[in-house]
Amino acid sequence: MELAVGGGMRRSASHTSLSESDDFDLSRLLNKPRINVDRQRSFDDCSLSDVSHSGGYGRGGAFDGMYSPGGGLRSLVGTPASSALHSFEPHPIVGDAWEALRRSLVFFRGQPLGTIAAFDHASEEVLNYDQVFVRDFVPSALAFLMNGEPDIVKNFLLKTVLLQGWEKKVDRFKLGEGAMPASFKVLHDAKKGVDTLHADFGESAIGRVAPVDSGFWWIILLRAYTKSTGDMTLAETPECQKGMRLILSLCLSEGFDTFPTLLCADGCCMIDRRMGVYGYPIEIQALFFMALKCALQMLKHDNEGKEFVEKIATRLHALSYHMRSYFWLDFQQLNDIYRYKTEEYSHTAVNKFNVIPDSIPDWLFDFMPCQGGFFIGNVSPARMDFRWFALGNMIAILSSLATPEQSTAIMDLIEERWEELIGEMPLKICYPAIENHEWRIVTGCDPKNTRWSYHNGGSWPVLLWLLTAACIKTGRPQIARRAIDLAESRLLKDGWPEYYDGKLGRYVGKQARKFQTWSIAGYLVAKMMLEDPSHLGMISLEEDRAMLKPVLKRSASWTN
């Protein structure tokens, strides 16, 4: 089936624009002065010498007229525009990274449309690594935006929203209209000279699970494009407005669930195999929260959009309360759960989910520092998944799902548990690994998810960009610098692998593809963001003051 690029980019009449409340004062983010360069800025500039490590949160700034550094500049081969604007030499592997990223580009009818998952010629099995994945493309898109090359991101956003309109069936069952594809592939017919697209909505995936996160990443990336370029016309097109509404209609529909979180199956997100994250996984809840806030800024307040705006506002209040109250864990909360009574009934119950204290795993008591905390993996009736999941916690910081105090506590935990979460290669996707009999039951004896490998405690370089963004937002750039130094010592030498194995992330993953695109792009984004923290505005959202309330302790909040 052929697909043409849809619609012109006319500016639609609108009463809305991107909110001004999500920007913040970057003058307190780094402990080094701003390098003085003559260029357009992404934020209202202040001296970065007024740095504070006390949190890194500040006031909002205006959106209009803001552009990303390097806007309109085309980089030389291997020379990113952002680095060219600075007076210092980039790390030697930066040029190799850009060359590798450009080799991964996919073209549709002569236009760049995305990047394939991996460019590993040494692997005999291609599988689906030659496709463009929605979630995988996000760090690539951010790298191109930071480098002043927004066209590929614009093409990607338009094409994927058109793919959303395709009929989606798995066997004989039809998916929801708003579902976004997990991936797509460009098919070139050399004889006919025709390019066509083939999209996968889960019907070809391992386990036949449709992605829940693709739609959220699409909304987040649409906002990043708009913040980077200042081009609001793309988000205001009928196609993008409808795309957002369709995604939101899937998530905001009312049903039997009594929680504001989203009920999800295993395999619906980055952890795309059975890993016991079914229920209400932190990754999906954090992305859901962030996508809602992004959509709230971009939806028009017309007849169709106004209803969604009202639903989003209501859901955000409930979701933030639920997550901050019931998913948050620190030393005090752990001690409270340890002393829970069970079989409580009515509104006076403290142990609302009837969690048995004996279900607390032994490792957690040693892992939890006196200072620090994190959002646990899952909360549902009689179950708390106490594992640490990196993506969910980093997105919680960037979206301001985490309060400033909770964000600081997450970074405290990373510093305190550096060996466990960072080791020799950033960053553990989850901690700890499940093994032995539990591994057999939870993963179904999955040979790829053996202990400390792949999604079962493996280390994923792509997470470096999320860690760096969270470090900058919380005023802890020294953590990012240390992590980037570790990555630079290995990534190029090891061929940019998809993941690393072992407790410390010392070994290249047993089935890891080389030249994994999001490993390459994740490094570049982290590097450019640390060099120029104003890039953070693409992917960071500030706290909504109307939503900011005192953080409720579980022991108190569960009695209300």
Side-chain angles (χ1 to χ4, degrees):
M1 178 176 182
E2 296 184 21
L3 185 64
V5 177
M9 299 310 300
R10 68 182 186 278
R11 172 178 285 276
S12 303
S14 173
H15 298 291
T16 29
S17 63
L18 289 187
S19 170
E20 297 180 356
S21 66
D22 62 311
D23 296 305
F24 47 89
D25 185 0
L26 285 164
S27 63
R28 301 194 296 157
L29 294 183
L30 286 182
N31 61 352
K32 62 180 182 181
R34 162 77 73 174
I35 297 173
N36 187 21
V37 292
D38 183 17
R39 57 176 177 78
Q40 290 175 305
R41 308 278 183 165
S42 287
F43 288 84
D44 295 334
D45 284 347
C46 301
S47 172
L48 285 177
S49 60
D50 296 330
V51 173
S52 168
H53 288 285
S54 61
Y57 293 82
R59 296 188 306 276
F63 173 81
D64 290 340
M66 296 192 298
Y67 294 83
S68 244
L73 296 177
R74 303 294 294 186
S75 67
L76 300 174
V77 175
T79 306
S82 59
S83 292
L85 290 167
H86 292 75
S87 59
F88 52 82
E89 289 295 323
H91 192 280
I93 75 170
V94 169
D96 291 276
W98 274 105
E99 289 179 9
L101 181 60
R102 296 193 189 285
R103 283 199 303 269
S104 72
L105 281 170
V106 172
F107 291 82
F108 180 74
R109 298 178 182 172
Q111 296 295 318
L113 189 58
T115 51
I116 59 172
F119 199 81
D120 189 356
H121 288 303
S123 176
E124 295 180 359
E125 289 185 302
V126 175
L127 297 177
N128 56 0
Y129 285 85
D130 62 343
Q131 297 186 26
V132 180
F133 282 81
V134 172
R135 77 173 69 94
D136 292 39
F137 180 67
V138 171
S140 295
L142 295 177
F144 287 119
L145 287 173
M146 292 178 185
N147 201 42
E149 303 178 60
D151 289 348
I152 182 177
V153 183
K154 183 176 182 178
N155 293 340
F156 173 86
L157 289 167
L158 284 171
K159 272 294 184 291
T160 45
V161 80
L162 289 175
L163 292 173
Q164 180 193 40
W166 287 14
E167 185 179 65
K168 300 170 277 285
K169 281 189 176 181
V170 177
D171 292 331
R172 299 184 180 183
F173 188 72
K174 188 176 180 180
L175 276 67
E177 189 179 1
M180 278 285 186
S183 64
F184 62 84
K185 185 174 182 177
V186 177
L187 302 175
H188 302 282
D189 189 328
K191 293 183 178 180
K192 296 182 179 180
V194 174
D195 290 350
T196 57
L197 291 179
H198 175 75
D200 177 18
F201 293 89
E203 67 269 26
S204 300
I206 293 177
R208 298 301 188 266
V209 178
V212 176
D213 61 340
S214 290
F216 299 151
W217 279 122
W218 185 88
I219 292 175
I220 293 166
L221 185 57
L222 178 62
R223 185 245 180 205
Y225 171 88
T226 308
K227 293 289 282 186
S228 170
T229 63
D231 175 17
M232 297 173 59
T233 59
L234 179 61
E236 291 179 345
T237 58
E239 294 86 354
C240 289
Q241 289 288 311
K242 181 181 179 182
M244 284 189 284
R245 293 195 303 268
L246 287 175
I247 293 167
L248 294 170
S249 67
L250 281 178
C251 330
L252 298 175
S253 59
E254 297 172 345
F256 289 98
D257 207 332
T258 59
F259 308 144
T261 42
L262 280 181
L263 184 62
C264 301
D266 253 330
C268 68
C269 53
M270 179 181 176
I271 299 176
D272 58 6
R273 285 168 173 252
R274 183 175 165 188
M275 269 290 291
V277 300
Y278 59 88
Y280 307 90
I282 179 62
E283 177 178 334
I284 290 296
Q285 313 316 318
L287 286 171
F288 179 34
F289 182 87
M290 190 170 192
L292 288 178
K293 291 187 71 173
C294 290
L296 194 60
Q297 297 173 21
M298 296 184 293
L299 281 171
K300 294 181 181 180
H301 287 213
D302 53 18
N303 291 335
E304 294 177 297
K306 188 176 180 181
E307 179 184 355
F308 284 97
V309 169
E310 294 173 353
K311 286 184 177 181
I312 289 171
T314 301
R315 190 64 166 262
L316 282 172
H317 280 279
L319 185 60
S320 61
Y321 173 83
H322 185 93
M323 297 299 296
R324 293 170 182 177
S325 301
Y326 305 137
F327 275 67
W328 181 251
L329 188 70
D330 54 23
F331 184 85
Q332 183 58 52
Q333 303 285 50
L334 178 59
N335 205 92
D336 291 343
I337 298 171
Y338 178 70
R339 292 168 52 82
Y340 269 170
K341 296 179 181 179
T342 59
E343 306 302 324
E344 294 182 300
Y345 180 72
S346 85
H347 297 289
T348 61
V350 174
N351 185 1
K352 286 190 175 182
F353 295 98
N354 198 37
V355 174
I356 310 300
D358 286 346
S359 67
I360 302 174
D362 292 338
W363 64 266
L364 184 59
F365 293 103
D366 294 328
F367 179 76
M368 179 62 71
C370 293
Q371 298 294 325
F374 63 101
F375 289 98
I376 63 176
N378 222 316
V379 175
S380 56
R383 178 189 181 223
M384 284 187 173
D385 182 349
F386 292 99
R387 286 176 294 176
W388 149 274
F389 289 90
L391 179 55
N393 276 273
M394 297 302 100
I395 291 293
I397 292 175
L398 295 176
S399 66
S400 290
L401 171 59
T403 65
E405 295 78 14
Q406 288 173 334
S407 296
T408 297
I410 293 171
M411 302 313 297
D412 287 342
L413 176 80
I414 291 174
E415 285 198 293
E416 287 290 324
R417 295 292 175 255
W418 185 268
E419 288 298 305
E420 291 90 339
L421 302 180
I422 306 293
E424 296 185 17
M425 176 56 65
L427 173 66
K428 286 289 179 202
I429 191 171
C430 71
Y431 181 88
I434 52 178
E435 48 191 327
N436 302 324
H437 184 59
E438 185 183 11
W439 166 78
R440 294 184 179 89
I441 294 174
V442 172
T443 73
C445 299
D446 185 356
K448 197 167 186 177
N449 268 334
T450 54
R451 62 177 185 169
W452 307 114
S453 180
Y454 201 51
H455 292 142
N456 188 13
S459 297
W460 290 70
V462 63
L463 297 172
L464 185 63
W465 80 265
L466 286 158
L467 173 64
T468 300
C471 288
I472 295 172
K473 184 170 184 181
T474 55
R476 311 278 273 272
Q478 70 278 4
I479 298 178
R481 289 195 195 100
R482 187 180 173 191
I484 289 173
D485 287 345
L486 284 173
E488 286 178 335
S489 69
R490 293 285 305 275
L491 285 177
L492 179 61
K493 180 176 63 176
D494 294 337
W496 304 99
E498 179 183 15
Y499 64 95
Y500 286 78
D501 285 352
K503 280 190 175 183
L504 297 177
R506 180 175 294 176
Y507 306 99
V508 174
K510 60 185 177 182
Q511 294 187 41
R513 291 299 191 278
K514 297 294 185 72
F515 292 94
Q516 186 79 18
T517 303
W518 67 357
S519 296
I520 298 164
Y523 163 73
L524 288 172
V525 171
K527 192 74 172 175
M528 287 190 284
M529 203 178 296
L530 192 60
E531 290 176 359
D532 188 350
S534 64
H535 287 309
L536 180 65
M538 292 185 202
I539 202 68
S540 178
L541 295 161
E542 193 46 292
E543 176 68 68
D544 183 348
R545 301 303 174 188
M547 199 184 302
L548 184 59
K549 297 179 181 179
V551 180
L552 299 175
K553 298 293 185 182
R554 179 172 290 144
S555 56
S557 64
W558 284 26
T559 61
N560 293 338

